[in-house]
Amino acid sequence: MNRRPILVAAVAVTALALAGCSGSSESDGGADSPYRVLLTGGISAQGVLSANSQTSLLATKAGVQVQNEAGGIGGRQIELTTVDDAGDATIAVTKLREAINSGNKPDLYLNSGPSSIAAAVLPILKQNNILSLSMAPSPDSTDPSKFPLNFDLAPGATDTARGISEYAKTKGYSSVGVLHGSTAYGELFGEEMTSALEKVGLKAAGNEEYDAAALDMTAQLQSLKNAGAAAIALDAYGAPLGYVLQSLERLGWDVPLVGNTSVSATNLIANDPPAGVLGTPQVKQNLVTQVFTSTVFDPNNALVTTMVDTMASLGSIPSTLILADNYDAFPLVAAAAEKVGSSTDPKKLAEALETSEVQENAKTAFLSRYNFSSDNHGPNPDTSELKFISPTKILNGQFGNPAAS
């Protein structure tokens, strides 16, 4: 008999002391209690962050529903609590501490980004022995010596830079300029791109950073042009993408742009003007963007189709599936619990997630395979998981669906 998920609405609670108390090595919940999952997300945030958080929430709910129908985690039905962190790290920290101190300590913590939230909550999760799977990579989030109970679902800057460098080499670009934002992720992407280009034998023709609040990137682009860039590896999330394209138009520079996953997570590229930039000369002629295979429509991929159909049944998907990482948290933890024979010990579950057996058995969809190890808790996807596409309109979060209008 199918079992439906218990979706617990977030409620306001009285603010508790910010000092969290250390938990035991095992979850507070027993084998007969629900498997408690806490998701903090920027539900009330504005603009692109709001749309992406809504997509992340839908993916989480869909993952809960599908996994509960498959028997839950270790035989326990999943109980999901969502709270609004408005995309603010301080609020996310407060909400997490409140949940811990309320007597309903979560078995698993998830977020919907950005990376500043992941960085802020990781020490608290470690202190309280809470397993976490994050869709927002931060500088130390994949280091098990620092955060042994955290695993990143989203490929990080190293993965995206490696993919872009290999793509650039296949295209015959002799030199590649790098343009990135001033965010923590943007800066890390800039560093990784320089290193990745060198590894594949390409010249890095400049590495330029723009202020994430800037309205004009002409100076940075002119510098890359002067350095002889034959193509640009681009990091731009939200409005900055539009300003980069406007600045290129002012320069009159028709240079190939290879966008990272921040670009593909920006709805501007999937909408016609004035709401977006799809079909404009710079996008139509010059831009390709990095996505995962699950972000591109394929009617023959049964696991991805189940994910998409379940998400769509729960609500409208407002942004690309590049933000659907959290769906995979549930089959991963379920496979780990099956190997361990229990779902109550986060340390044992973490050790199980590091094994090839669990990674092969987990019926994941966002990525077809995760490659966690005892040395690195990043997803480390094979390059076959990455595609480079020209932007199209999206339908149910996917590019390339012929039914999209």
Side-chain angles (χ1 to χ4, degrees):
M1 181 171 62
N2 287 345
R3 297 168 177 165
R4 296 293 175 185
I6 305 168
L7 299 179
V8 179
V11 296
V13 294
T14 304
L16 299 174
L18 289 183
C21 24
S22 243
S24 65
S25 63
E26 293 200 359
S27 158
D28 289 346
D32 295 328
S33 64
Y35 189 84
R36 294 191 293 262
V37 177
L38 174 65
L39 167 71
T40 67
I43 298 169
S44 64
Q46 301 298 311
V48 66
L49 181 57
S50 174
N52 288 343
S53 293
Q54 292 291 343
T55 297
S56 175
L57 175 57
L58 278 177
T60 307
K61 288 182 176 180
V64 169
Q65 178 168 313
V66 171
Q67 191 59 50
N68 272 344
E69 290 174 350
I73 292 177
R76 299 162 66 189
Q77 287 287 280
I78 303 164
E79 178 183 278
L80 174 65
T81 299
T82 64
V83 296
D84 183 8
D85 61 27
D88 184 289
T90 301
I91 296 174
V93 165
T94 300
K95 295 298 184 182
L96 174 58
R97 289 196 184 279
E98 287 175 350
I100 293 168
N101 292 324
S102 69
N104 291 310
K105 175 183 169 183
D107 296 283
L108 175 67
Y109 171 82
L110 305 173
N111 64 63
S112 68
S115 57
S116 57
I117 286 178
V121 300
L122 279 173
I124 302 166
L125 295 166
K126 178 181 179 180
Q127 180 186 24
N128 289 277
N129 297 300
I130 297 172
L131 184 68
S132 59
L133 280 82
S134 176
M135 60 165 284
S138 61
D140 299 324
S141 58
T142 62
D143 186 348
S145 68
K146 295 182 178 179
F147 301 109
L149 299 183
N150 182 72
F151 295 80
D152 278 359
L153 295 170
T158 301
D159 301 310
T160 55
R162 172 167 48 91
I164 290 174
S165 297
E166 292 179 3
Y167 172 82
K169 187 170 184 176
T170 65
K171 298 297 289 185
Y173 300 138
S174 58
S175 60
V176 179
V178 182
L179 180 64
H180 63 86
S182 58
T183 63
Y185 177 83
E187 292 175 353
L188 183 59
F189 173 76
E191 295 172 6
E192 293 293 338
M193 273 305 311
T194 300
S195 174
L197 288 168
E198 291 175 355
K199 288 179 180 178
V200 298
L202 296 181
K203 176 185 176 183
N207 191 319
E208 294 290 326
E209 177 175 304
Y210 61 83
D211 189 311
L215 306 182
D216 189 340
M217 290 74 167
T218 304
Q220 291 90 338
L221 289 165
Q222 183 68 65
S223 179
L224 295 176
K225 185 178 182 181
N226 293 343
I232 294 177
L234 176 63
D235 164 69
Y237 180 62
L241 174 62
Y243 298 131
V244 169
L245 297 175
Q246 289 174 8
S247 298
L248 277 170
E249 188 173 359
R250 279 193 289 270
L251 277 178
W253 188 20
D254 288 329
V255 62
L257 301 172
V258 186
N260 66 5
T261 52
S262 295
V263 174
S264 56
T266 298
N267 271 2
L268 287 172
I269 65 171
N271 290 286
D272 294 324
V277 296
L278 183 64
T280 60
Q282 287 291 348
V283 171
K284 187 175 181 179
Q285 299 171 16
N286 298 319
L287 177 67
V288 296
T289 187
Q290 186 180 48
V291 296
F292 307 119
T293 54
S294 59
T295 324
V296 181
F297 177 71
D298 178 2
N300 298 316
N301 191 324
L303 288 172
V304 174
T305 297
T306 297
M307 176 179 73
V308 174
D309 288 350
T310 306
M311 289 176 65
S313 74
L314 295 170
S316 175
I317 303 173
S319 64
T320 67
L321 290 187
I322 208 81
L323 279 304
D325 319 56
N326 283 344
Y327 181 91
D328 283 352
F330 304 102
L332 282 166
V333 178
E338 183 176 0
K339 176 176 174 60
V340 172
S342 169
S343 59
T344 61
D345 190 323
K347 181 179 178 181
K348 290 181 179 179
L349 291 174
E351 291 172 350
L353 285 168
E354 296 172 349
T355 67
S356 294
E357 177 187 344
V358 165
Q359 295 156 19
E360 290 171 0
N361 290 339
K363 295 180 179 180
T364 56
F366 176 76
L367 294 179
S368 62
R369 170 68 188 264
Y370 290 78
N371 295 290
F372 304 128
S373 70
S374 59
D375 298 320
N376 188 303
H377 282 186
N380 301 303
D382 186 87
T383 51
S384 64
E385 300 269 12
L386 301 171
K387 288 188 174 183
F388 292 87
I389 64 167
S390 298
T392 70
K393 290 192 175 181
I394 60 172
L395 180 63
N396 288 335
Q398 291 183 300
F399 294 101
N401 190 325
S405 57

